[in-house]
């Protein structure tokens, strides 16, 4: 049995006890979270979110890519979220490679040319959070009255630590 | 108090009971899930995932965008995942608008020109799942031996229903 088949079996157990019929699409707590895809992060658990509470957007690094901003536009304009949080984390895989190193691997083994891809690795966690918070804040498509705050999640302690984006900008 | 401040208070409670120190970055179950950001979906809960088990990538619609594929490349090449699942869901917000409708809103209210953005709405759930599964399968950067399967999550029942992508392609 594949791992995914085992997960599907777990889903049948989950569905048998499911009791959240007919919740509306707009998030009840009007929050959207952009976080890394890392397996050690479970945003719903570490923020105490219930079913229907908040949008959760995730990608490698928790980066404010065009696609993440597409999602945040839909989240705010169409579904009414009013606060955004960006969450990167300690021991992130994005700290461990360069674009050149990752581009070389699929190229060697598949022959496909990955040189055009920016994998968005970073060298400093606080800086990457600041960069992504600022990118969202400066988007002309995000309502200007939405606060965008940045955090580092510590995978050893489970704690979110806020990154002072404005202070760093002034330093 | 903002909703986000309330969530941060919940995080302190979570961290006080946290007991997952020193897990490695590679997902233990070697699975990556691409799902919609919808607030009613909690992939970790509906798949029975524990901390450290699987990558979870999420955006508006659960679409196989360039950014999602960037994340899947990092997931497989760098962090060893070997099975992918694409999860769209019933009652998705992406079924409720056209690009033209969503582009008009920020334009009217902020003056910014959103005409260049493809918000990736869709008209049919099974087709959107098939399209995204095929996009991932056909990427030259995704290892060809990784099975990519597609699912629809029913927000009323909590159940995942598999979409037969190959059968639909042959029909």
């Amino acid at each position: 049995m594949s791992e995914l088949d085992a997960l599907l079996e777990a889903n049948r157990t989950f569905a048998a006890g499911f009791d959240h019929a007919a919740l509306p699409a707009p998030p009840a707590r009007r929050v959207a979270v952009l976080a890394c895809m890392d397996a050690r992060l479970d945003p719903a658990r570490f923020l105490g979110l219930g079913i229907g509470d908040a949008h959760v957007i995730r990608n490698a690094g928790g980066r404010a890519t065009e696609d993440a901003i597409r999602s945040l536009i839909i989240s705010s304009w169409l579904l009414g979220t009013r606060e955004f949080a960006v969450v990167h984390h300690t021991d992130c895989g994005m700290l461990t490679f360069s674009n050149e190193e990752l581009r070389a691997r699929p190229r060697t083994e598949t022959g496909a040319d990955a040189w055009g891809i920016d994998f968005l690795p970073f060298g400093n966690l606080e800086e990457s959070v600041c960069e992504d918070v600022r990118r969202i804040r400066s988007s002309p498509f995000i309502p200007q009255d939405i606060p965008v705050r940045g955090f580092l999640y510590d995978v050893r302690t489970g704690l979110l630590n806020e990154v002072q984006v404005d202070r760093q900008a002034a330093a």
Side-chain angles (χ1 to χ4, degrees), chain A:
Chain A
M1 189 161 80
S2 75
E3 282 293 339
L4 190 49
D5 284 320
L7 299 180
L8 294 174
E9 202 160 292
N11 173 251
R12 286 187 285 274
T13 305
F14 169 82
F18 190 76
D19 188 24
H20 299 278
L23 284 176
R29 302 184 74 161
R30 309 184 76 180
V31 171
V33 179
L34 169 60
C36 184
M37 69 177 178
D38 192 283
R40 295 163 295 179
L41 271 59
D42 184 341
R45 280 179 67 191
F46 71 60
L47 289 169
L49 296 171
I51 300 281
D53 273 353
H55 282 146
V56 181
I57 299 154
R58 302 180 67 177
N59 62 34
R63 305 308 313 261
T65 57
E66 276 187 26
D67 192 48
I69 289 177
R70 172 185 72 88
S71 301
L72 290 169
I73 294 172
I74 292 170
S75 175
S76 52
W77 286 103
L78 202 69
L79 293 158
T81 54
R82 305 307 300 162
E83 295 179 82
F84 294 165
V86 173
V87 180
H88 296 185
H89 64 94
T90 60
D91 196 36
C92 186
M94 304 294 281
L95 292 159
T96 65
F97 67 93
S98 68
N99 262 329
E100 289 65 31
E101 285 160 353
L102 191 52
R103 284 168 179 160
R105 287 196 53 184
R107 194 180 51 140
T108 304
E109 304 193 38
T110 71
D113 184 359
W115 291 104
I117 302 177
D118 184 352
F119 290 102
L120 304 174
F122 42 72
N124 181 293
L125 283 170
E126 298 224 347
E127 279 172 21
S128 67
V129 169
C130 290
E131 188 179 316
D132 287 339
V133 166
R134 290 196 196 105
R135 185 163 299 167
I136 296 167
R137 285 182 183 166
S138 66
S139 167
F141 307 116
I142 299 294
Q144 293 306 303
D145 57 340
I146 292 185
V148 186
R149 294 162 66 181
F151 301 89
L152 282 177
Y153 177 83
D154 188 325
V155 297
R156 294 163 311 161
T157 66
L159 201 62
L160 284 165
N161 294 294
E162 187 152 11
V163 176
Q164 299 302 329
V165 179
D166 291 324
R167 198 175 301 164
Q168 177 142 340

